[in-house]
Amino acid sequence: MAAQADTIEVPTDAELLQAQADLWRHSLYYLSSMGLRCAVQLQIPTTIHRLGGVASLADLMAALSLPSVKMPFLHRLMRVLVTSGVFAVDKDSESGGELYRLTPLSRILVDGVTDEHHSQKYFVLAVTAPHCAEAALGLADWFKKDLEPPVPSPFEDMHGAPVFDERTPLMDEEFDAVANEGLAAHDNLGIATILRECGDIFKGLESLTDCCGGDGTTARALVKAYPHIKCTVLDLPKVIDKAPKDGVVNYVAGDLFHTVPSSQAVMLKLVLHFWSDEDCVKILTQCKKAIPPHDEGGKIIIIDIVIGPSLGPIMFEAQLLMDMLMMVTTRGVQRSENDWRKLFMEAGFKDYKIVRKLGARCVIEVYP
């Protein structure tokens, strides 16, 4: 057996060259992430938008007030970001130079625009922040540690506090603010798409509780589309204290582990992936207590990732990377359909339906 371990199948020349290129790509992908972070910090997407949607390299240099000596370096950064789909490039018919324009990806990074697409600027800044990068760099050491359950994430193990915890501001107040802005942006992106593509799940409802609904952005959009639905937002007191008291929705300060306000439906939008299976069962059990039987319209509405390759390799990879983010920064996990089914059955639910119309995410209706 030892002799076999000392030998390995020799790849062909073509395989070896491809493996070398793949090795470079996988080892250096972090530079693509840091390039995106740099573009957001420099406000390149917002600048291109303000320049009318198209900008030359000289336009960007002037608008960003960058030293002229940095122009060739900016060109190299933009070339990588074009290749990765962050920006697009056209040839200027007059000068022959390059003109950069926004893509759907960079459009959702434009800051200061009021529309249904909430800027994802802070999501990028949060997940590429040094605290998260350091936690990921410590993965090998974390795997070797024999930690008592519940096992802390690499982030918590390294920094002494979880993300989105009361202790996080004490660790780094600026990072805590960016992380919370990023979470809000991540949660609120695509609300209008949900209402357009999956609006049927809200028809016939008279009342709904949005658990961990933050400042009520989702609930207010829901009430605007369906004025007859009485919406309640449940969140921690520190969140509710800052929520707008506009009378559109009802705000309740509390903890979904202990009690959930009664309503016909309870919504958990991008909530359960932050929690372990045991904690999810506790949350779902409380939600089940808050709703009427299925024949009276009672249901849980979950908006979250359902991991699976059916949407193609790019969406599948995005889902798996989001699961790695959960592993590095939280005690939660992104789940497959089988994982979700086990949670529902353990919490006492009888059936569920998955609506796959939200890209990498799904809507799951769960029935008591």
Side-chain angles (χ1 to χ4, degrees):
M1 295 297 291
Q4 291 179 359
D6 292 336
T7 63
I8 191 169
E9 182 181 350
V10 178
T12 66
D13 288 340
E15 290 172 336
L16 182 63
L17 294 173
Q18 183 61 54
Q20 183 183 55
D22 290 341
L23 180 65
W24 292 350
R25 287 171 48 246
H26 287 291
S27 299
L28 299 175
Y29 266 147
Y30 76 94
L31 290 174
S32 180
S33 298
M34 291 304 127
L36 177 61
R37 177 181 175 86
C38 174
V40 169
Q41 289 177 313
L42 291 176
Q43 296 192 320
I44 294 176
T46 302
T47 300
I48 293 176
H49 172 72
R50 290 175 178 171
L51 290 170
V54 177
S56 67
L57 200 63
D59 293 334
L60 288 175
M61 291 292 296
L64 297 172
S65 300
L66 298 179
S68 59
V69 71
K70 297 296 175 63
M71 181 178 279
F73 302 100
L74 181 63
H75 176 262
R76 290 158 70 181
L77 173 65
M78 294 299 290
R79 182 171 59 187
V80 168
L81 295 175
V82 166
T83 301
S84 61
V86 178
F87 300 109
V89 66
D90 298 313
K91 286 288 184 182
D92 188 334
S93 58
E94 296 182 1
S95 68
E98 294 176 325
L99 295 175
Y100 300 101
R101 55 184 172 82
L102 300 177
T103 64
L105 193 164
S106 45
R107 285 192 191 105
I108 61 174
L109 295 172
V110 173
D111 206 16
V113 176
T114 304
D115 64 4
E116 65 182 51
H117 302 299
H118 298 261
S119 173
Q120 299 300 292
K121 164 185 172 181
Y122 286 105
F123 175 80
V124 173
L125 295 178
V127 299
T128 59
H131 292 86
C132 295
E134 289 168 5
L137 287 170
L139 265 176
D141 290 335
W142 177 80
F143 267 108
K144 295 174 185 177
K145 289 184 179 180
D146 190 7
L147 300 167
E148 291 292 325
V151 177
S153 69
F155 185 100
E156 183 179 356
D157 184 55
M158 176 171 287
H159 300 300
V163 185
F164 312 122
D165 187 81
E166 293 179 355
R167 293 168 287 169
T168 314
L170 302 177
M171 176 188 73
D172 189 320
E173 191 171 353
E174 183 180 352
F175 169 74
D176 180 65
V178 169
N180 278 285
E181 288 276 5
L183 177 65
H186 175 257
D187 286 359
N188 291 327
L189 178 67
I191 294 171
T193 303
I194 293 170
L195 293 173
R196 282 193 296 267
E197 297 295 326
C198 309
D200 287 348
I201 65 174
F202 301 107
K203 290 181 179 178
L205 289 181
E206 297 177 359
S207 60
L208 177 142
T209 297
D210 184 7
C211 290
C212 301
D215 65 1
T217 298
T218 296
R220 288 197 300 276
L222 183 58
V223 170
K224 184 177 180 180
Y226 301 96
H228 63 280
I229 299 179
K230 179 183 177 182
C231 280
T232 298
V233 169
L234 172 70
D235 216 314
L236 296 173
K238 66 177 183 178
V239 177
I240 297 300
D241 288 345
K242 300 177 182 178
K245 306 300 188 292
D246 52 14
V248 177
V249 299
N250 180 41
Y251 292 92
V252 174
D255 185 340
L256 78 170
F257 281 96
H258 297 124
T259 184
V260 174
S262 296
S263 57
Q264 193 175 10
V266 171
M267 183 161 66
L268 295 162
K269 182 167 67 67
L270 306 177
V271 172
L272 295 180
H273 62 244
F274 283 109
W275 301 100
S276 67
D277 289 353
E278 294 78 9
D279 284 336
C280 283
V281 171
K282 293 175 183 177
I283 292 169
L284 289 168
T285 300
Q286 291 298 330
C287 292
K288 186 171 181 286
K289 294 177 182 177
I291 60 174
H294 186 196
D295 58 9
E296 295 178 21
K299 62 182 177 181
I300 310 296
I301 300 170
I302 296 172
I303 300 172
D304 223 315
I305 287 174
V306 179
I307 288 180
S310 62
L311 296 173
I314 293 178
M315 285 289 189
F316 189 39
E317 181 185 33
Q319 292 176 332
L320 296 179
L321 288 172
M322 288 299 289
D323 182 52
M324 285 294 292
L325 177 66
M326 292 300 100
M327 187 179 83
V328 170
T329 60
T330 77
R331 298 184 185 183
V333 59
Q334 303 289 358
R335 297 173 170 90
S336 66
E337 181 173 351
N338 284 337
D339 296 329
W340 284 113
R341 183 188 299 110
K342 290 176 184 177
L343 293 184
F344 302 151
M345 297 304 110
E346 191 172 343
F349 290 89
K350 296 178 180 177
D351 200 5
Y352 67 93
K353 180 176 73 174
I354 297 178
V355 180
R356 303 178 189 273
K357 293 184 178 181
L358 298 177
R361 300 168 178 167
C362 297
V363 174
I364 313 174
E365 293 183 83
V366 192
Y367 310 115

